[in-house]
């Protein structure tokens, strides 16, 4: 079962629906016991960085999420601001991030006639060894809606790039931690494929812990 963390922010129902559509079991929950028992944890996020990280900390759920991430090492997936919160800080606000990645969030500056926020469909270029995205399909396109992007201190943490003017980080991955800047729950067949891959990652983790 995948726990979609309900801390009052995010496209919760649509994430649950797409996971269920590809054969997974998902629960939108703010219950610590359910999150602690989950085989995977999704952290959604929409709106501003400070609002999301403050709401997550006030929810009282962060400690159990971090136990799942760093003790049980279950696969964690952050979506949009849910990914950005994994950074150290953001130019969008003053609150500290979770610090799970050596990264900082900066405002998009695409230049020219390109407007911010960046909204709409965009192609990505995934790392060849990406287990969440893969590189077999060069036509992968996802739906973006953001004004800020993550700048990683470690190039090895970048799982995919996209371009809006200049290239920017579209996905991150490190051990059991994953994040995507786009909205896979709004990305039709490409989003479904991502969640199918996420279910496979969870299955591999479960098989490893069962040995």
């Amino acid at each position: 079962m995948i726990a979609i963390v309900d801390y009052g922010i995010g496209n919760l129902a649509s994430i649950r629906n797409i996971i269920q559509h590809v054969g997974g079991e998902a629960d939108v929950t703010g219950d610590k016991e359910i999150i602690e028992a989950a085989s995977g944890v999704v952290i959604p996020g929409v709106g501003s960085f400070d609002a999301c990280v403050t709401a997550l900390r006030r929810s009282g759920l962060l400690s159990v999420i971090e136990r799942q991430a760093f003790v049980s090492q279950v696969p964690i997936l952050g979506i949009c601001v849910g990914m950005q919160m994994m950074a150290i800080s953001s130019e969008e606000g003053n609150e500290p991030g979770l610090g799970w990645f050596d990264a900082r969030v900066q405002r998009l500056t695409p230049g020219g006639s390109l407007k911010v926020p960046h909204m709409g469909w965009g192609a990505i270029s995934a790392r060849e060894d990406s287990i969440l995205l893969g590189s077999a399909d060069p036509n992968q396109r996802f739906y973006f809606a953001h004004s800020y992007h993550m700048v990683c201190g470690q190039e090895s943490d970048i799982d995919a790039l996209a371009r809006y003017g200049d290239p920017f980080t579209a996905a991150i991955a490190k051990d059991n931690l994953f994040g995507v800047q786009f909205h896979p729950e709004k990305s039709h067949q490409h989003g479904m494929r991502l969640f199918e891959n996420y279910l496979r990652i969870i299955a591999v983790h479960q098989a490893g812990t069962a040995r």
Side-chain angles (χ1 to χ4, degrees):
M1 190 277 296
I2 297 170
I4 303 166
V5 180
D6 183 0
Y7 63 102
I9 296 176
N11 299 316
L12 307 179
S14 54
I15 297 171
R16 179 192 61 209
N17 291 344
I18 195 170
I19 292 173
Q20 292 176 339
H21 183 77
V22 298
E25 183 181 351
D27 190 1
V28 174
T29 182
D31 187 306
K32 291 182 180 181
E33 293 184 1
I34 293 175
I35 295 171
E36 187 136 38
S39 54
V41 178
V42 175
I43 306 173
V46 293
S48 73
F49 182 92
D50 274 11
C52 286
V53 76
T54 298
L56 181 59
R57 288 194 168 102
R58 287 178 177 172
S59 72
L61 301 174
L62 183 56
S63 60
V64 66
I65 294 169
E66 291 191 325
R67 281 199 301 274
Q68 284 284 66
F70 299 109
V71 179
S72 301
Q73 295 187 319
V74 306
I76 310 292
L77 174 62
I79 296 176
C80 196
V81 184
M83 163 180 145
Q84 293 180 4
M85 288 193 294
M86 296 177 176
I88 295 169
S89 64
S90 173
E91 287 184 351
E92 187 178 14
N94 299 311
E95 291 294 322
L98 304 181
W100 296 358
F101 284 80
D102 176 14
R104 286 170 173 78
V105 178
Q106 298 179 4
R107 184 170 175 82
L108 286 169
T109 54
S113 61
L114 296 174
K115 297 179 180 180
V116 177
H118 169 212
M119 297 187 69
W121 292 86
I124 68 163
S125 176
R127 203 167 60 189
E128 287 187 4
D129 61 349
S130 171
I131 58 175
L132 183 66
L133 293 159
S135 60
D137 184 358
N139 299 312
Q140 288 188 94
R141 294 175 63 81
F142 294 90
Y143 186 80
F144 290 86
H146 64 119
S147 299
Y148 292 80
H149 67 110
M150 183 179 283
V151 178
C152 292
Q154 303 295 324
E155 187 176 351
S156 59
D157 292 341
I158 300 172
D159 205 37
L161 293 172
R163 182 178 287 275
Y164 190 62
D166 295 327
F168 67 89
T169 300
I172 56 174
K174 180 175 65 176
D175 302 324
N176 58 306
L177 305 177
F178 304 90
V180 293
Q181 181 59 68
F182 48 82
H183 288 275
E185 76 279 9
K186 296 182 179 180
S187 300
H188 307 313
Q189 72 268 26
H190 303 295
M192 287 186 275
R193 187 177 300 123
L194 180 147
F195 280 110
E196 287 172 347
N197 292 339
Y198 182 53
L199 291 175
R200 293 189 189 100
I201 293 167
I202 290 171
V204 169
H205 174 260
Q206 288 182 306
T209 57
R211 292 173 185 167

